[in-house]
Amino acid sequence: MSARKWDGAARRSVDWDGLRRDPELWYHDGNCLVHLYEHGQSRRGPAFKIPMDALLQTNCRPLLDRFLAASPGGSPSSQGSSNDSYFSQSRDKVYELYIPAPPNVDRGEAFLYHTATRNFFAWIFGKSLVGVHLGGALVGLLNSMNEFRSTSEDNVQGIIDYMDEEGYADMRNAPDHALAILYFAEHFRFRDLWIDAFAHCTGMNEKLIASPGFEFIARTTRALVTRSRFEMDMRLDQCGERLSSFLSDDLSDSHLGLSSAARAHLDKFRSFLQSYYVAKFGYYPPACEAGRVAFPKSIYAQMCSEFHKLYEYLVDKSRTAVDSLPLAHAGGVCVLQNVQAFDQRHKYQPLENPFPLLPETEDNSKPPANRRLSLIFKADKMKPDPRLVTLSHLVKATNGQDQTLLESTLIRAYRGFEKDCVFYPTKDRNEKLSQTDARKVRWILVYTILQTLLSATLAPDEVRDTHNVSYNICVLTAGCPPWKERPYETLLRTQTDQMKVDFKTATSQVSPGSEIASPSEIRPDIDYFAITHARVDSEISLSSKTSRKGTVRRALSTLGNMPELRHPKPQRASYHEILVHGYGNGTNNVCITARPATTSPEDSPRKNSTSSGSSSVEDLSSRWSNTSFGGADSPTTSASNSRRGSDASIEASKKSIKNFLDRPMSALGLARPPSSVYSESMHDEDILQPDPLQVKKNEQDFMKVTTEVKVEWEESHLGPATDELTEFLHA
């Protein structure tokens, strides 16, 4: 059981083994020595040296009452209400705390108990925590704070402040921190903290498995994180698909009933947005990951920011959905009905203000009747351009008084689009549309695009840090958390009880048969037990090796009848050239001077055969199947069609030669001649190449190589060398 030190500021963890004497908790000016054993039970010395004033400032009186060693001058528990005077008697006085592990516990349990004690002092002095995983260290710290501090202290706020100071609460791009906060919040049922950590864990789901705290998270929570990530990815893909065409399917005729003029204006506004983002990004839709249609997170965020500003530029903040329908919205395109239908179809939370600001109608722009008669005879040059009047009405029906909104490039481009619609209207009479209905059509598209972008970027309200996050955290929290809230006081444990729970959880994560040992375990320099049992272990190892083949066979038998892939053996020629010293290959004329063989069995470059002279062809092929063509054994020789003219001498010579070839190999047998004796055809033989992998169809499908050797004689071979060899064989 190894412990790690979790450095929250550096966002890293390292192996830790400082329980005997922790350098981070050893202050040279400290006057309180902390021993991790019973008084008088060890000579190991103190593990920590800390100032006593820090313990008094954090109201650790229960800790002092239980573990402070008694002195001749009395103890704080015997002083009653004069505890302060006891500790202020002398600043140079040294105090000693003896904090032993509970009796009758294992070494691993004692290690966990002392680690929790160390973490309590680390919290007092603002040092990093240590433990098997960070979440367990935080849980143990809150239990220790509740046990060793006064009851009037707010320990929850104290540990939250500590996590902020040490950097543990910053879960952005930190899987260890997110899992630790999730484990801590789930243990004590802190809902808001749990949702905050849950959102970060969902965004970093693929990185969680590498964290040491992943195995300690409940299986239900891990499954919930995986399901939430899957749902979020699907939603982001759907948003990317809709935004690629600016909601052409969601606002089609099947969902949005518009006239032909309104539909033409909607398509014109889509073309404007397409041109704007092509000029902004270089192309639209933007590039996505392989196999995904979701936009990058930065693109979603940038588009959401721009459309939110455009929404603020056009929205009527004085009216909500529950207010009565304004007179200007009574005719033409119904805005409220269409946006509510869109929200219900996609289960979006409706925006508070669903109405846009509308320009004044033509009736409202006309002067009164009495003034109209007075102006009837005025010159035409005094009459303003109706296009300027219309444009001024459109500009007036905005929130342009907010200068921060005008800094948006999309709003500036939108103002130019409205200007072009006024000064360069369409010439088709069937596509003419009033400016009020045109504003309504544009508002419906702006509202629906903003709702789509919010679903792809908006994080839960419980998430604190949303900036500088490289992954998506727009998770849905419906049905979360998977437990009911309850007072955390009912979930607190003593440090001893928490030690037992942590030890049981840690041992369940270790594979069976592995030894659990703390980092501070003392081992002898020479392990005599291992030396004594080395012979037994070696015998066991040898027996396991001999049975390994049977184990593999049994394991493979459980796989069923699966096809086996093997390299086919190279195809060999049916005939091989055999050279006999003094006779060549049996077909060419050879003229040599014979001399007695002097080669010893040890000098022979080939192995002696262990088979008899009457070995079968199957035995021969089995021996050659795994050797090169250079290693030849005793082949069966066919001596037919003799061409020699003599009678008895020829037959006797043939019989003696046959017997010689059928004898077992020895020093006088077929010794391999030097390479210079081989014919050129031997070197010109093609190199054998293995065939591709094939599926083994039958167990009996083995390759067999047989070799037929023919020895023929020519009369030109008769001579003194032959007679000399014959006499040598008969000798």
Short mmCIF file of all heavy atoms in Angstrom, two decimals, residues 160-219:
data_model
loop_
_atom_site.label_atom_id
_atom_site.label_comp_id
_atom_site.label_asym_id
_atom_site.label_seq_id
_atom_site.Cartn_x
_atom_site.Cartn_y
_atom_site.Cartn_z
N ILE A 160 -13.09 23.60 2.93
CA ILE A 160 -13.30 24.22 1.62
C ILE A 160 -12.26 25.30 1.37
O ILE A 160 -11.69 25.41 0.27
CB ILE A 160 -14.73 24.79 1.52
CG1 ILE A 160 -15.76 23.66 1.54
CG2 ILE A 160 -14.90 25.63 0.28
CD1 ILE A 160 -15.68 22.72 0.38
N ASP A 161 -12.00 26.13 2.40
CA ASP A 161 -10.97 27.15 2.26
C ASP A 161 -9.60 26.52 2.03
O ASP A 161 -8.78 27.04 1.25
CB ASP A 161 -10.94 28.04 3.50
CG ASP A 161 -12.24 28.83 3.66
OD1 ASP A 161 -12.96 29.00 2.66
OD2 ASP A 161 -12.52 29.26 4.80
N TYR A 162 -9.35 25.41 2.71
CA TYR A 162 -8.07 24.73 2.55
C TYR A 162 -7.91 24.19 1.12
O TYR A 162 -6.83 24.30 0.52
CB TYR A 162 -7.96 23.60 3.56
CG TYR A 162 -6.78 22.67 3.35
CD1 TYR A 162 -5.49 23.07 3.67
CD2 TYR A 162 -6.97 21.38 2.83
CE1 TYR A 162 -4.41 22.22 3.48
CE2 TYR A 162 -5.90 20.53 2.64
CZ TYR A 162 -4.63 20.95 2.96
OH TYR A 162 -3.56 20.11 2.77
N MET A 163 -8.98 23.62 0.55
CA MET A 163 -8.90 23.11 -0.82
C MET A 163 -8.68 24.23 -1.82
O MET A 163 -7.98 24.05 -2.83
CB MET A 163 -10.18 22.33 -1.15
CG MET A 163 -10.30 21.00 -0.43
SD MET A 163 -11.67 19.96 -1.04
CE MET A 163 -13.07 20.96 -0.58
N ASP A 164 -9.26 25.41 -1.56
CA ASP A 164 -9.01 26.55 -2.45
C ASP A 164 -7.56 27.02 -2.35
O ASP A 164 -6.92 27.34 -3.36
CB ASP A 164 -9.96 27.70 -2.10
CG ASP A 164 -11.38 27.42 -2.54
OD1 ASP A 164 -11.56 26.64 -3.49
OD2 ASP A 164 -12.31 27.97 -1.92
N GLU A 165 -7.03 27.05 -1.14
CA GLU A 165 -5.66 27.53 -0.96
C GLU A 165 -4.64 26.57 -1.56
O GLU A 165 -3.65 27.00 -2.16
CB GLU A 165 -5.38 27.72 0.53
CG GLU A 165 -6.20 28.83 1.18
CD GLU A 165 -6.03 28.85 2.69
OE1 GLU A 165 -5.28 27.99 3.21
OE2 GLU A 165 -6.65 29.71 3.34
N GLU A 166 -4.87 25.28 -1.40
CA GLU A 166 -3.92 24.29 -1.91
C GLU A 166 -4.10 23.99 -3.39
O GLU A 166 -3.26 23.32 -4.00
CB GLU A 166 -4.02 22.99 -1.11
CG GLU A 166 -3.54 23.12 0.32
CD GLU A 166 -2.08 23.51 0.39
OE1 GLU A 166 -1.26 22.91 -0.34
OE2 GLU A 166 -1.76 24.42 1.17
N GLY A 167 -5.19 24.45 -3.99
CA GLY A 167 -5.41 24.21 -5.42
C GLY A 167 -6.19 22.96 -5.72
O GLY A 167 -6.39 22.63 -6.90
N TYR A 168 -6.68 22.25 -4.70
CA TYR A 168 -7.45 21.04 -4.96
C TYR A 168 -8.82 21.35 -5.56
O TYR A 168 -9.37 20.53 -6.30
CB TYR A 168 -7.64 20.24 -3.67
CG TYR A 168 -6.35 19.78 -3.03
CD1 TYR A 168 -6.17 19.81 -1.65
CD2 TYR A 168 -5.31 19.30 -3.81
CE1 TYR A 168 -4.99 19.39 -1.06
CE2 TYR A 168 -4.12 18.87 -3.23
CZ TYR A 168 -3.97 18.92 -1.85
OH TYR A 168 -2.79 18.50 -1.28
N ALA A 169 -9.37 22.51 -5.26
CA ALA A 169 -10.69 22.88 -5.77
C ALA A 169 -10.65 23.28 -7.24
O ALA A 169 -11.71 23.37 -7.88
CB ALA A 169 -11.28 24.03 -4.94
N ASP A 170 -9.49 23.53 -7.79
CA ASP A 170 -9.36 23.87 -9.20
C ASP A 170 -9.31 22.56 -9.99
O ASP A 170 -8.26 21.90 -10.08
CB ASP A 170 -8.10 24.70 -9.44
CG ASP A 170 -8.02 25.23 -10.86
OD1 ASP A 170 -8.96 24.98 -11.65
OD2 ASP A 170 -7.02 25.90 -11.20
N MET A 171 -10.42 22.18 -10.57
CA MET A 171 -10.53 20.89 -11.26
C MET A 171 -10.33 21.01 -12.77
O MET A 171 -10.45 20.01 -13.48
CB MET A 171 -11.90 20.28 -10.97
CG MET A 171 -12.12 19.94 -9.52
SD MET A 171 -13.79 19.38 -9.16
CE MET A 171 -14.67 20.95 -9.11
N ARG A 172 -10.03 22.16 -13.27
CA ARG A 172 -9.86 22.35 -14.71
C ARG A 172 -8.63 21.60 -15.20
O ARG A 172 -7.52 21.83 -14.73
CB ARG A 172 -9.74 23.84 -15.04
CG ARG A 172 -10.98 24.64 -14.75
CD ARG A 172 -10.74 26.13 -14.90
NE ARG A 172 -9.76 26.63 -13.94
CZ ARG A 172 -9.37 27.89 -13.86
NH1 ARG A 172 -9.87 28.79 -14.69
NH2 ARG A 172 -8.49 28.25 -12.95
N ASN A 173 -8.88 20.69 -16.14
CA ASN A 173 -7.81 19.89 -16.75
C ASN A 173 -7.00 19.12 -15.72
O ASN A 173 -5.82 18.84 -15.93
CB ASN A 173 -6.87 20.78 -17.58
CG ASN A 173 -7.60 21.64 -18.58
OD1 ASN A 173 -8.26 21.13 -19.48
ND2 ASN A 173 -7.50 22.95 -18.43
N ALA A 174 -7.61 18.73 -14.60
CA ALA A 174 -6.94 17.99 -13.54
C ALA A 174 -7.82 16.81 -13.14
O ALA A 174 -8.70 16.94 -12.28
CB ALA A 174 -6.66 18.89 -12.34
N PRO A 175 -7.65 15.64 -13.76
CA PRO A 175 -8.49 14.48 -13.43
C PRO A 175 -8.37 14.05 -11.98
O PRO A 175 -9.37 13.63 -11.38
CB PRO A 175 -8.00 13.40 -14.39
CG PRO A 175 -7.33 14.13 -15.51
CD PRO A 175 -6.74 15.35 -14.88
N ASP A 176 -7.17 14.14 -11.39
CA ASP A 176 -7.00 13.73 -10.00
C ASP A 176 -7.84 14.60 -9.07
O ASP A 176 -8.48 14.09 -8.14
CB ASP A 176 -5.52 13.82 -9.60
CG ASP A 176 -4.67 12.79 -10.34
OD1 ASP A 176 -5.24 11.78 -10.78
OD2 ASP A 176 -3.46 13.00 -10.47
N HIS A 177 -7.85 15.90 -9.30
CA HIS A 177 -8.63 16.80 -8.46
C HIS A 177 -10.12 16.57 -8.64
O HIS A 177 -10.88 16.56 -7.67
CB HIS A 177 -8.27 18.25 -8.77
CG HIS A 177 -6.87 18.61 -8.43
ND1 HIS A 177 -6.35 19.88 -8.62
CD2 HIS A 177 -5.85 17.88 -7.91
CE1 HIS A 177 -5.09 19.91 -8.23
NE2 HIS A 177 -4.76 18.71 -7.81
N ALA A 178 -10.56 16.40 -9.88
CA ALA A 178 -11.99 16.21 -10.14
C ALA A 178 -12.50 14.93 -9.49
O ALA A 178 -13.58 14.92 -8.87
CB ALA A 178 -12.24 16.19 -11.65
N LEU A 179 -11.75 13.85 -9.60
CA LEU A 179 -12.17 12.60 -8.97
C LEU A 179 -12.15 12.71 -7.46
O LEU A 179 -13.01 12.14 -6.76
CB LEU A 179 -11.26 11.46 -9.43
CG LEU A 179 -11.47 10.96 -10.86
CD1 LEU A 179 -10.39 9.96 -11.25
CD2 LEU A 179 -12.84 10.31 -11.01
N ALA A 180 -11.18 13.42 -6.91
CA ALA A 180 -11.10 13.57 -5.46
C ALA A 180 -12.29 14.37 -4.92
O ALA A 180 -12.91 14.00 -3.91
CB ALA A 180 -9.78 14.25 -5.08
N ILE A 181 -12.62 15.47 -5.58
CA ILE A 181 -13.77 16.28 -5.13
C ILE A 181 -15.07 15.50 -5.31
O ILE A 181 -15.98 15.58 -4.48
CB ILE A 181 -13.81 17.60 -5.90
CG1 ILE A 181 -12.51 18.40 -5.66
CG2 ILE A 181 -15.00 18.44 -5.47
CD1 ILE A 181 -12.24 18.75 -4.23
N LEU A 182 -15.17 14.73 -6.39
CA LEU A 182 -16.36 13.91 -6.60
C LEU A 182 -16.51 12.87 -5.50
O LEU A 182 -17.61 12.64 -4.98
CB LEU A 182 -16.28 13.23 -7.97
CG LEU A 182 -17.50 12.43 -8.41
CD1 LEU A 182 -18.68 13.36 -8.67
CD2 LEU A 182 -17.18 11.62 -9.67
N TYR A 183 -15.41 12.22 -5.13
CA TYR A 183 -15.44 11.23 -4.06
C TYR A 183 -15.78 11.88 -2.72
O TYR A 183 -16.59 11.36 -1.93
CB TYR A 183 -14.08 10.53 -3.99
CG TYR A 183 -13.98 9.45 -2.94
CD1 TYR A 183 -14.35 8.14 -3.22
CD2 TYR A 183 -13.50 9.74 -1.66
CE1 TYR A 183 -14.25 7.15 -2.27
CE2 TYR A 183 -13.40 8.76 -0.69
CZ TYR A 183 -13.78 7.46 -1.00
OH TYR A 183 -13.69 6.48 -0.04
N PHE A 184 -15.18 13.01 -2.44
CA PHE A 184 -15.42 13.72 -1.18
C PHE A 184 -16.86 14.20 -1.09
O PHE A 184 -17.53 14.03 -0.06
CB PHE A 184 -14.44 14.91 -1.10
CG PHE A 184 -14.69 15.82 0.07
CD1 PHE A 184 -14.28 15.47 1.34
CD2 PHE A 184 -15.32 17.05 -0.11
CE1 PHE A 184 -14.51 16.32 2.42
CE2 PHE A 184 -15.55 17.89 0.95
CZ PHE A 184 -15.14 17.53 2.22
N ALA A 185 -17.38 14.79 -2.18
CA ALA A 185 -18.76 15.30 -2.16
C ALA A 185 -19.77 14.17 -2.09
O ALA A 185 -20.82 14.31 -1.44
CB ALA A 185 -19.00 16.15 -3.41
N GLU A 186 -19.49 13.05 -2.72
CA GLU A 186 -20.43 11.94 -2.65
C GLU A 186 -20.43 11.29 -1.27
O GLU A 186 -21.47 10.79 -0.82
CB GLU A 186 -20.08 10.91 -3.73
CG GLU A 186 -21.03 9.75 -3.80
CD GLU A 186 -20.87 8.92 -5.07
OE1 GLU A 186 -20.28 9.44 -6.03
OE2 GLU A 186 -21.34 7.78 -5.09
N HIS A 187 -19.29 11.29 -0.62
CA HIS A 187 -19.22 10.68 0.72
C HIS A 187 -20.05 11.46 1.72
O HIS A 187 -20.77 10.86 2.54
CB HIS A 187 -17.77 10.60 1.17
CG HIS A 187 -17.58 9.90 2.48
ND1 HIS A 187 -17.44 8.54 2.59
CD2 HIS A 187 -17.55 10.38 3.76
CE1 HIS A 187 -17.30 8.20 3.85
NE2 HIS A 187 -17.36 9.30 4.59
N PHE A 188 -19.98 12.78 1.66
CA PHE A 188 -20.70 13.62 2.63
C PHE A 188 -21.97 14.25 2.05
O PHE A 188 -22.55 15.12 2.68
CB PHE A 188 -19.77 14.72 3.15
CG PHE A 188 -18.64 14.20 4.00
CD1 PHE A 188 -17.33 14.21 3.53
CD2 PHE A 188 -18.87 13.70 5.26
CE1 PHE A 188 -16.29 13.73 4.30
CE2 PHE A 188 -17.84 13.22 6.04
CZ PHE A 188 -16.54 13.23 5.56
N ARG A 189 -22.36 13.87 0.83
CA ARG A 189 -23.61 14.30 0.21
C ARG A 189 -23.68 15.82 0.04
O ARG A 189 -24.67 16.45 0.41
CB ARG A 189 -24.82 13.80 1.02
CG ARG A 189 -24.81 12.30 1.28
CD ARG A 189 -25.00 11.51 -0.01
NE ARG A 189 -24.94 10.07 0.20
CZ ARG A 189 -25.99 9.31 0.51
NH1 ARG A 189 -27.17 9.87 0.67
NH2 ARG A 189 -25.86 8.01 0.64
N PHE A 190 -22.64 16.41 -0.53
CA PHE A 190 -22.63 17.83 -0.87
C PHE A 190 -23.05 17.95 -2.34
O PHE A 190 -22.25 17.70 -3.24
CB PHE A 190 -21.26 18.46 -0.65
CG PHE A 190 -20.81 18.42 0.79
CD1 PHE A 190 -19.48 18.19 1.12
CD2 PHE A 190 -21.71 18.63 1.82
CE1 PHE A 190 -19.07 18.17 2.43
CE2 PHE A 190 -21.30 18.61 3.15
CZ PHE A 190 -19.99 18.38 3.46
N ARG A 191 -24.30 18.35 -2.59
CA ARG A 191 -24.85 18.30 -3.93
C ARG A 191 -24.15 19.25 -4.90
O ARG A 191 -23.73 18.85 -5.99
CB ARG A 191 -26.35 18.62 -3.90
CG ARG A 191 -27.02 18.57 -5.27
CD ARG A 191 -28.47 18.96 -5.22
NE ARG A 191 -29.08 18.89 -6.54
CZ ARG A 191 -29.00 19.85 -7.45
NH1 ARG A 191 -28.35 20.98 -7.15
NH2 ARG A 191 -29.56 19.73 -8.63
N ASP A 192 -24.05 20.53 -4.55
CA ASP A 192 -23.45 21.51 -5.47
C ASP A 192 -22.01 21.16 -5.79
O ASP A 192 -21.57 21.27 -6.95
CB ASP A 192 -23.54 22.91 -4.86
CG ASP A 192 -24.97 23.40 -4.76
OD1 ASP A 192 -25.86 22.77 -5.35
OD2 ASP A 192 -25.20 24.41 -4.07
N LEU A 193 -21.27 20.74 -4.80
CA LEU A 193 -19.88 20.36 -5.03
C LEU A 193 -19.80 19.11 -5.90
O LEU A 193 -18.90 18.98 -6.74
CB LEU A 193 -19.18 20.13 -3.69
CG LEU A 193 -17.65 20.02 -3.69
CD1 LEU A 193 -17.03 21.30 -4.23
CD2 LEU A 193 -17.13 19.72 -2.30
N TRP A 194 -20.75 18.21 -5.73
CA TRP A 194 -20.75 16.99 -6.52
C TRP A 194 -21.03 17.29 -7.99
O TRP A 194 -20.37 16.73 -8.88
CB TRP A 194 -21.81 16.04 -5.98
CG TRP A 194 -21.79 14.67 -6.61
CD1 TRP A 194 -21.10 13.58 -6.18
CD2 TRP A 194 -22.50 14.25 -7.78
NE1 TRP A 194 -21.33 12.51 -7.00
CE2 TRP A 194 -22.19 12.89 -8.00
CE3 TRP A 194 -23.37 14.89 -8.67
CZ2 TRP A 194 -22.72 12.17 -9.06
CZ3 TRP A 194 -23.89 14.17 -9.73
CH2 TRP A 194 -23.58 12.82 -9.91
N ILE A 195 -21.99 18.16 -8.28
CA ILE A 195 -22.31 18.50 -9.67
C ILE A 195 -21.13 19.22 -10.33
O ILE A 195 -20.83 19.00 -11.52
CB ILE A 195 -23.58 19.35 -9.73
CG1 ILE A 195 -24.79 18.50 -9.29
CG2 ILE A 195 -23.81 19.91 -11.13
CD1 ILE A 195 -26.10 19.26 -9.29
N ASP A 196 -20.46 20.07 -9.59
CA ASP A 196 -19.29 20.76 -10.13
C ASP A 196 -18.22 19.75 -10.55
O ASP A 196 -17.67 19.82 -11.67
CB ASP A 196 -18.75 21.73 -9.08
CG ASP A 196 -17.67 22.65 -9.64
OD1 ASP A 196 -17.37 22.56 -10.85
OD2 ASP A 196 -17.13 23.46 -8.87
N ALA A 197 -17.93 18.80 -9.67
CA ALA A 197 -16.92 17.79 -10.01
C ALA A 197 -17.43 16.84 -11.09
O ALA A 197 -16.66 16.38 -11.94
CB ALA A 197 -16.54 17.00 -8.76
N PHE A 198 -18.72 16.55 -11.07
CA PHE A 198 -19.30 15.64 -12.06
C PHE A 198 -19.16 16.20 -13.47
O PHE A 198 -18.88 15.46 -14.43
CB PHE A 198 -20.77 15.39 -11.71
CG PHE A 198 -21.49 14.52 -12.70
CD1 PHE A 198 -21.33 13.15 -12.68
CD2 PHE A 198 -22.34 15.09 -13.65
CE1 PHE A 198 -22.00 12.35 -13.60
CE2 PHE A 198 -23.01 14.29 -14.56
CZ PHE A 198 -22.84 12.91 -14.53
N ALA A 199 -19.36 17.50 -13.63
CA ALA A 199 -19.24 18.11 -14.96
C ALA A 199 -17.81 18.00 -15.49
O ALA A 199 -17.59 17.68 -16.67
CB ALA A 199 -19.67 19.58 -14.90
N HIS A 200 -16.83 18.23 -14.63
CA HIS A 200 -15.43 18.12 -15.07
C HIS A 200 -15.05 16.66 -15.35
O HIS A 200 -14.29 16.39 -16.29
CB HIS A 200 -14.51 18.72 -14.02
CG HIS A 200 -14.55 20.22 -13.96
ND1 HIS A 200 -13.85 21.02 -14.83
CD2 HIS A 200 -15.23 21.07 -13.13
CE1 HIS A 200 -14.08 22.30 -14.55
NE2 HIS A 200 -14.91 22.35 -13.52
N CYS A 201 -15.55 15.74 -14.54
CA CYS A 201 -15.26 14.32 -14.80
C CYS A 201 -15.87 13.87 -16.11
O CYS A 201 -15.27 13.06 -16.85
CB CYS A 201 -15.78 13.47 -13.65
SG CYS A 201 -14.85 13.62 -12.11
N THR A 202 -17.05 14.37 -16.44
CA THR A 202 -17.68 14.01 -17.72
C THR A 202 -16.85 14.53 -18.89
O THR A 202 -16.65 13.82 -19.88
CB THR A 202 -19.10 14.57 -17.78
OG1 THR A 202 -19.86 14.05 -16.69
CG2 THR A 202 -19.77 14.20 -19.09
N GLY A 203 -16.37 15.75 -18.79
CA GLY A 203 -15.56 16.30 -19.87
C GLY A 203 -14.22 15.60 -20.04
O GLY A 203 -13.69 15.52 -21.15
N MET A 204 -13.66 15.07 -18.95
CA MET A 204 -12.36 14.38 -19.00
C MET A 204 -12.53 12.87 -18.85
O MET A 204 -11.65 12.20 -18.30
CB MET A 204 -11.45 14.91 -17.89
CG MET A 204 -11.10 16.38 -17.99
SD MET A 204 -9.99 16.94 -16.68
CE MET A 204 -11.06 16.83 -15.25
N ASN A 205 -13.63 12.33 -19.32
CA ASN A 205 -13.94 10.93 -19.08
C ASN A 205 -12.86 9.99 -19.58
O ASN A 205 -12.55 8.99 -18.92
CB ASN A 205 -15.28 10.60 -19.75
CG ASN A 205 -15.72 9.18 -19.48
OD1 ASN A 205 -15.65 8.70 -18.36
ND2 ASN A 205 -16.17 8.49 -20.51
N GLU A 206 -12.26 10.27 -20.72
CA GLU A 206 -11.26 9.38 -21.28
C GLU A 206 -9.94 9.41 -20.50
O GLU A 206 -9.11 8.51 -20.67
CB GLU A 206 -10.99 9.72 -22.75
CG GLU A 206 -10.33 11.07 -22.98
CD GLU A 206 -11.31 12.22 -22.95
OE1 GLU A 206 -12.52 11.97 -22.76
OE2 GLU A 206 -10.88 13.37 -23.11
N LYS A 207 -9.73 10.41 -19.65
CA LYS A 207 -8.50 10.51 -18.87
C LYS A 207 -8.64 9.99 -17.44
O LYS A 207 -7.64 9.89 -16.73
CB LYS A 207 -8.03 11.97 -18.81
CG LYS A 207 -7.76 12.60 -20.16
CD LYS A 207 -7.32 14.04 -20.01
CE LYS A 207 -7.07 14.70 -21.35
NZ LYS A 207 -6.67 16.13 -21.21
N LEU A 208 -9.85 9.68 -17.02
CA LEU A 208 -10.06 9.32 -15.62
C LEU A 208 -9.45 7.99 -15.26
O LEU A 208 -9.02 7.78 -14.12
CB LEU A 208 -11.57 9.29 -15.32
CG LEU A 208 -12.33 10.60 -15.52
CD1 LEU A 208 -13.79 10.41 -15.14
CD2 LEU A 208 -11.72 11.73 -14.70
N ILE A 209 -9.41 7.06 -16.20
CA ILE A 209 -8.97 5.72 -15.87
C ILE A 209 -7.50 5.68 -15.46
O ILE A 209 -7.07 4.76 -14.75
CB ILE A 209 -9.22 4.78 -17.07
CG1 ILE A 209 -9.09 3.31 -16.65
CG2 ILE A 209 -8.31 5.12 -18.23
CD1 ILE A 209 -9.50 2.33 -17.71
N ALA A 210 -6.72 6.66 -15.88
CA ALA A 210 -5.30 6.70 -15.52
C ALA A 210 -5.07 7.29 -14.14
O ALA A 210 -3.94 7.27 -13.66
CB ALA A 210 -4.52 7.50 -16.56
N SER A 211 -6.09 7.81 -13.50
CA SER A 211 -5.93 8.43 -12.18
C SER A 211 -6.04 7.38 -11.09
O SER A 211 -6.86 6.45 -11.18
CB SER A 211 -6.99 9.51 -11.97
OG SER A 211 -6.90 10.07 -10.68
N PRO A 212 -5.23 7.49 -10.01
CA PRO A 212 -5.33 6.50 -8.92
C PRO A 212 -6.68 6.50 -8.22
O PRO A 212 -7.05 5.50 -7.63
CB PRO A 212 -4.20 6.94 -7.97
CG PRO A 212 -3.27 7.74 -8.80
CD PRO A 212 -4.11 8.43 -9.81
N GLY A 213 -7.41 7.60 -8.26
CA GLY A 213 -8.68 7.65 -7.56
C GLY A 213 -9.86 7.10 -8.34
O GLY A 213 -10.97 7.05 -7.80
N PHE A 214 -9.63 6.65 -9.58
CA PHE A 214 -10.75 6.18 -10.40
C PHE A 214 -11.37 4.91 -9.83
O PHE A 214 -12.59 4.75 -9.82
CB PHE A 214 -10.27 5.96 -11.83
CG PHE A 214 -11.33 5.43 -12.76
CD1 PHE A 214 -12.32 6.27 -13.23
CD2 PHE A 214 -11.33 4.10 -13.17
CE1 PHE A 214 -13.31 5.79 -14.08
CE2 PHE A 214 -12.31 3.63 -14.01
CZ PHE A 214 -13.29 4.47 -14.47
N GLU A 215 -10.53 3.99 -9.35
CA GLU A 215 -11.04 2.71 -8.84
C GLU A 215 -11.83 2.87 -7.55
O GLU A 215 -12.58 1.96 -7.18
CB GLU A 215 -9.88 1.74 -8.63
CG GLU A 215 -9.14 1.35 -9.90
CD GLU A 215 -10.02 0.58 -10.87
OE1 GLU A 215 -10.97 -0.07 -10.39
OE2 GLU A 215 -9.77 0.64 -12.08
N PHE A 216 -11.68 3.99 -6.86
CA PHE A 216 -12.38 4.18 -5.59
C PHE A 216 -13.74 4.84 -5.78
O PHE A 216 -14.49 4.94 -4.82
CB PHE A 216 -11.52 5.02 -4.65
CG PHE A 216 -10.23 4.35 -4.26
CD1 PHE A 216 -9.07 4.53 -5.00
CD2 PHE A 216 -10.18 3.53 -3.15
CE1 PHE A 216 -7.89 3.91 -4.64
CE2 PHE A 216 -9.00 2.90 -2.78
CZ PHE A 216 -7.85 3.09 -3.53
N ILE A 217 -14.04 5.31 -6.98
CA ILE A 217 -15.35 5.89 -7.25
C ILE A 217 -16.38 4.77 -7.37
O ILE A 217 -16.10 3.70 -7.92
CB ILE A 217 -15.31 6.73 -8.54
CG1 ILE A 217 -14.27 7.86 -8.40
CG2 ILE A 217 -16.68 7.32 -8.85
CD1 ILE A 217 -14.58 8.87 -7.34
N ALA A 218 -17.58 5.00 -6.86
CA ALA A 218 -18.64 3.99 -6.92
C ALA A 218 -18.96 3.64 -8.37
O ALA A 218 -18.88 4.49 -9.27
CB ALA A 218 -19.89 4.50 -6.20
N ARG A 219 -19.33 2.40 -8.59
CA ARG A 219 -19.62 1.96 -9.95
C ARG A 219 -20.81 2.70 -10.54
O ARG A 219 -20.85 2.99 -11.74
CB ARG A 219 -19.89 0.44 -9.95
CG ARG A 219 -18.66 -0.40 -9.64
CD ARG A 219 -18.96 -1.87 -9.81
NE ARG A 219 -17.76 -2.68 -9.60
CZ ARG A 219 -17.74 -4.02 -9.70
NH1 ARG A 219 -18.86 -4.67 -10.02
NH2 ARG A 219 -16.62 -4.68 -9.50
#
